[in-house]
Amino acid sequence: MAAEIATSEERQARVTGGDLLRALGREPVVLLAVVFLVALAIAAGFASWLAPYDPLMPNIFAGRLPPFSEAKGMTGAVQFHVLGTDALGRDMLTRLMFGAQASVAVGVVAVAISGTIGTVLGLVAGYYGGRAETLIMRTVDGVMAVPSLLIALFVLSLVGGGLVNMVLIFAFVRWVVYARLARGITLSYRQSSFVEAARSIGATDGRIIFRHILPNMLSPLLVLGTLEIALLILAEAGLSFLGFGLQPPEPSWGLMIARGREYLREAWWMITFPGLAIFLTTLSLNLLANWLRTITDPVQRWRWLI
Amino acid sequence: MIANVLGGYFMRRLIGSAVMLFIVMSAVFVADRNIGDPARMILGDTGTEADVLELRLRMGLEDPWHVQYGRFVAGLVTFDLGETFRYGISKPLAHGGIPESRATLPIAAERLPATFLLTGVAIALSVLVALPLGIWAAVRPRTIGDRLVNVLSLAGVSIVEYWFALILILLFAVQLDWLPTSGYGTAAHVILPALALSLRPIGRITQIARSSMLDELAKPYVTAARGRGIPISKIASVHALKNAAIPVVTTIGEETINVITGVIIIETVFGWPGIGALTVDALKIRDVPLIEATIFLLVLMVLSINLVVDLLYALLNPRVRLG
């Protein structure tokens, strides 16, 4: 009897995947954003199989063709370019899909690294306090005082661009936001009764931190991580646009805009589509983060789930 | 008494900012000394060994590192960050030998007014649009209008500034021929770059203004005022606005800093002669003293804005300055 009551309470407290989907169905704009992100992930992940043409191979018969053009390929076969071609005759849609790979890779990997490092350091700072906290939080303040884009720009100009360098630099400049969040939440839980209780029955520090405190900050971390992916995709494109990020012939959305800028008057599609791709991706991520924040907030959650 | 407390707070923050600037510039110094021989970069492959050595002597690169660092620190205090041998020199390598040179900090400082103008116009535009928009949405929560403002502000935050700038150029300069594509000098030149820079701050400030006004309007004194029959628009604009202003001021400060990093790309797109475009130029040609001068000024600007925001925050919120 007692056990049954406990499980039914538990069932009420826990949000299931079905609840989430139903809540999502009531927000058509967010649903659209999620559909776009899933499609983007598939297009990026399977670009090598799904993309119609080669992203790097130039085609002298097809330079700067507008959307919905046909042209003879280098092999002689007729090619159809839904979104047109760039200055070297490469298919825009194909390059957008491979550009998505770079953007998603930089955003997701850098967020995973910086999120892990920042969260652990924030937990340590908040839980133990003392000299470790002073050292960690002073570093956080220092890195935060200088705009991330400026640090990234400076370091990239010294060490050179490329995917790996960008991921490392973004991880280095962005771990601080997670550290600040994790420390704040840890401080608010350190003196709470459930941590006290865990300690009194002999739980180790590691167990308290990772089994009792960490689960309580996963929602805000998820929201922050989503926002950070959007921020880093924008930063990657911006740095590549300036020439300090990914280097040609690597397909990158920012680089595509930079190249298209030279043909602004003649070929509007060369900047329009890569820009739209970045904009829709960041907008979708921001919409998703906004919605996640509302739905994971215990005060507001009931409004969405009933 | 308040002035005293504020003064002490200000001094502490000022010293903190100076220390921060010093640490950042030291990091830049260390990084810059590890990217190869600046003298060889200036003279190129055609420069003779003797010329390179002479230039290294003149640039002080043959001194031990602690002497170089001491000179660098002294330069920070006396606003002398070295000289460039390449930037703005008409014929740097005309006759072989050592090229002429110019001090870098004045070159960079000359660019500041243009950047201040652009940043100022962009932020003023953002605040003028975003504050009324945010308050308007807050007094009618969950209506169609509120939702529309919400999605539009998210779109503003997600905007790709330089891409939007190029679309603006394509539309208003190339197609319609109403405004110049790039350049500096008249009021018409500032419109497109300021517009491109303002969408993100408009989105952010609208969101914060809306949410902090919503929090404020839920408080008992607002209910009491409504009970007395005062219209909600008047309560919002007269009573709640001052209390809701604290997070908004912080956000405006953060967005000003974001615009200062935004100008790095936007100035490049519009050929705007500000410090952002100069930074990109200096980084592209790897002109070490010029890089140091531009980063010095950019970081100085960012730290100054942070200082002003913290001070305003303390002024608006007594709990901070007395706590």
Side-chain angles (χ1 to χ4, degrees):
Chain A
M1 178 69 190
E4 260 174 47
I5 292 169
T7 43
S8 73
E9 271 176 2
E10 210 177 352
R11 202 176 297 136
Q12 269 184 351
R14 194 169 292 160
V15 180
T16 62
D19 290 334
L20 274 180
L21 278 182
R22 247 178 295 128
L24 199 56
R26 255 171 270 145
E27 284 290 304
V29 181
V30 184
L31 186 64
L32 215 62
V34 172
V35 169
F36 177 81
L37 289 174
V38 170
L40 181 81
I42 294 173
F46 301 99
S48 313
W49 293 278
L50 292 177
Y53 305 110
D54 188 304
L56 300 178
M57 179 81 88
N59 179 1
I60 48 167
F61 304 118
R64 277 191 274 142
L65 291 177
F68 302 110
S69 312
E70 277 184 358
K72 202 165 67 162
M74 292 300 276
T75 52
V78 171
Q79 299 189 337
F80 181 66
H81 303 287
V82 187
L83 300 181
T85 62
D86 69 4
L88 297 177
R90 297 174 296 198
D91 183 54
M92 288 289 293
L93 179 64
T94 304
R95 288 182 62 76
L96 279 178
M97 290 171 78
F98 280 90
Q101 250 177 9
S103 292
V104 171
V106 169
V108 172
V109 177
V111 163
I113 299 176
S114 55
T116 309
I117 297 175
T119 305
V120 169
L121 287 176
L123 280 165
V124 167
Y127 189 77
Y128 291 105
R131 218 173 282 168
E133 181 183 30
T134 311
L135 182 70
I136 292 171
M137 295 324 287
R138 280 279 155 83
T139 315
V140 167
D141 289 341
V143 176
M144 275 197 158
V146 187
S148 301
L149 197 72
L150 187 60
I151 304 179
L153 190 65
F154 174 67
V155 179
L156 282 172
S157 79
L158 297 183
V159 301
L163 208 65
V164 177
N165 284 351
M166 290 191 100
V167 168
L168 292 179
I169 289 163
F170 286 154
F172 170 74
V173 291
R174 296 312 294 178
W175 65 270
V176 292
V177 294
Y178 308 93
R180 183 172 275 191
L181 179 74
R183 171 181 168 268
I185 297 175
T186 309
L187 279 180
S188 68
Y189 285 128
R190 192 168 59 176
Q191 306 298 341
S192 69
S193 47
F194 70 85
V195 168
E196 197 94 337
R199 199 177 291 135
S200 68
I201 58 169
T204 59
D205 285 350
R207 191 179 166 83
I208 293 173
I209 290 176
F210 289 107
R211 294 298 296 273
H212 294 279
I213 298 180
L214 182 63
N216 278 305
M217 60 175 71
L218 285 182
S219 305
L221 278 175
L222 185 68
V223 173
L224 181 61
T226 312
L227 290 174
E228 285 288 306
I229 294 178
L231 187 91
L232 291 188
I233 286 179
L234 275 179
E236 182 273 320
L239 290 165
S240 298
F241 174 77
L242 281 177
F244 295 100
L246 296 179
Q247 300 299 319
E250 278 179 284
S252 142
W253 291 343
L255 268 177
M256 289 171 80
I257 298 179
R259 292 289 293 155
R261 186 183 164 202
E262 298 161 30
Y263 304 97
L264 195 57
R265 282 158 203 273
E266 302 91 357
W268 56 269
W269 58 92
M270 281 176 64
I271 63 157
T272 306
F273 295 128
L276 267 181
I278 306 172
F279 173 64
L280 289 176
T281 308
T282 45
L283 179 60
S284 301
L285 286 166
N286 280 327
L287 280 165
L288 180 63
N290 213 17
W291 179 73
L292 281 175
R293 179 168 24 218
T294 325
I295 204 157
T296 55
D297 182 347
V299 183
Q300 297 198 24
R301 183 193 285 159
W302 61 273
R303 288 180 190 151
W304 302 81
L305 295 180
I306 47 172
Chain B
M1 155 77 186
I2 286 176
N4 264 343
V5 176
L6 264 189
Y9 177 75
F10 178 72
M11 282 313 291
R12 274 201 309 279
R13 293 285 289 108
L14 190 66
I15 293 169
S17 301
V19 170
M20 190 63 77
L21 184 63
F22 174 75
I23 293 173
V24 170
M25 290 314 292
S26 297
V28 170
F29 173 87
V30 173
D32 273 347
R33 272 22 179 213
N34 287 301
I35 55 163
D37 185 353
R40 177 51 80 186
M41 280 192 267
I42 291 166
L43 293 172
D45 293 335
T46 53
T48 65
E49 285 300 322
D51 283 343
V52 171
L53 186 64
E54 196 187 331
L55 189 56
R56 283 184 64 83
L57 282 169
R58 176 152 161 209
M59 293 173 83
L61 293 169
E62 290 291 306
D63 296 332
W65 72 268
H66 60 272
V67 177
Q68 292 189 42
Y69 183 61
R71 196 163 42 228
F72 180 75
V73 172
L76 285 179
V77 179
T78 57
F79 294 109
D80 171 17
L81 290 176
E83 42 193 9
T84 172
F85 292 84
R86 283 183 290 180
Y87 192 84
I89 311 287
S90 49
K91 288 179 192 164
L93 301 170
H95 311 291
I98 304 299
E100 53 177 311
S101 67
R102 285 175 68 191
T104 52
L105 206 55
I107 298 180
E110 263 172 28
R111 299 294 196 101
L112 286 178
T115 297
F116 288 158
L117 175 68
L118 183 53
T119 311
V121 173
I123 286 297
L125 182 68
S126 311
V127 174
L128 282 179
V129 174
L131 270 189
L133 206 60
I135 296 169
W136 184 83
V139 297
R140 44 179 69 61
R142 288 173 187 276
T143 58
I144 298 284
D146 177 41
R147 275 165 189 258
L148 195 67
V149 168
N150 211 7
V151 172
L152 281 181
S153 62
L154 272 177
V157 173
S158 315
I159 201 73
V160 192
E161 286 160 347
Y162 49 94
W163 171 69
F164 183 62
L166 290 172
I167 298 287
L168 286 177
I169 292 177
L170 192 60
L171 216 63
F172 292 103
V174 176
Q175 296 292 333
L176 298 171
D177 203 17
W178 289 351
L179 294 164
T181 54
S182 65
Y184 177 66
T186 69
H189 285 103
V190 79
I191 295 175
L192 290 185
L195 208 57
L197 280 169
S198 64
L199 282 202
R200 193 187 308 278
I202 286 177
R204 278 289 311 282
I205 297 169
T206 305
Q207 286 175 338
I208 302 297
R210 174 184 172 274
S211 68
S212 81
M213 185 56 90
L214 266 180
D215 290 347
E216 204 57 37
L217 291 180
K219 289 191 175 159
Y221 76 90
V222 174
T223 317
R226 294 194 73 176
R228 286 196 298 273
I230 305 172
I232 186 146
S233 55
K234 194 177 172 197
I235 301 173
S237 55
V238 178
H239 303 275
L241 187 61
K242 198 191 159 211
N243 296 328
I246 296 171
V248 176
V249 167
T250 315
T251 308
I252 293 174
E254 281 168 13
E255 288 310 308
T256 311
I257 290 170
N258 280 345
V259 168
I260 287 176
T261 33
V263 297
I264 294 176
I265 301 186
I266 291 298
E267 285 182 358
T268 309
V269 170
F270 284 97
W272 189 264
I275 187 133
L278 182 68
T279 308
V280 172
D281 289 344
L283 287 170
K284 280 214 163 121
I285 61 173
R286 289 190 158 201
D287 191 330
V288 171
L290 193 58
I291 292 172
E292 287 169 356
T294 53
I295 290 188
F296 176 76
L297 289 181
L298 282 173
V299 175
L300 188 66
M301 278 159 75
V302 169
L303 291 175
S304 311
I305 293 166
N306 267 331
L307 197 63
V308 171
V309 170
D310 284 357
L311 215 64
L312 278 176
Y313 194 82
L315 265 175
L316 287 170
N317 189 353
R319 273 168 295 190
V320 174
R321 65 167 183 260
L322 299 174

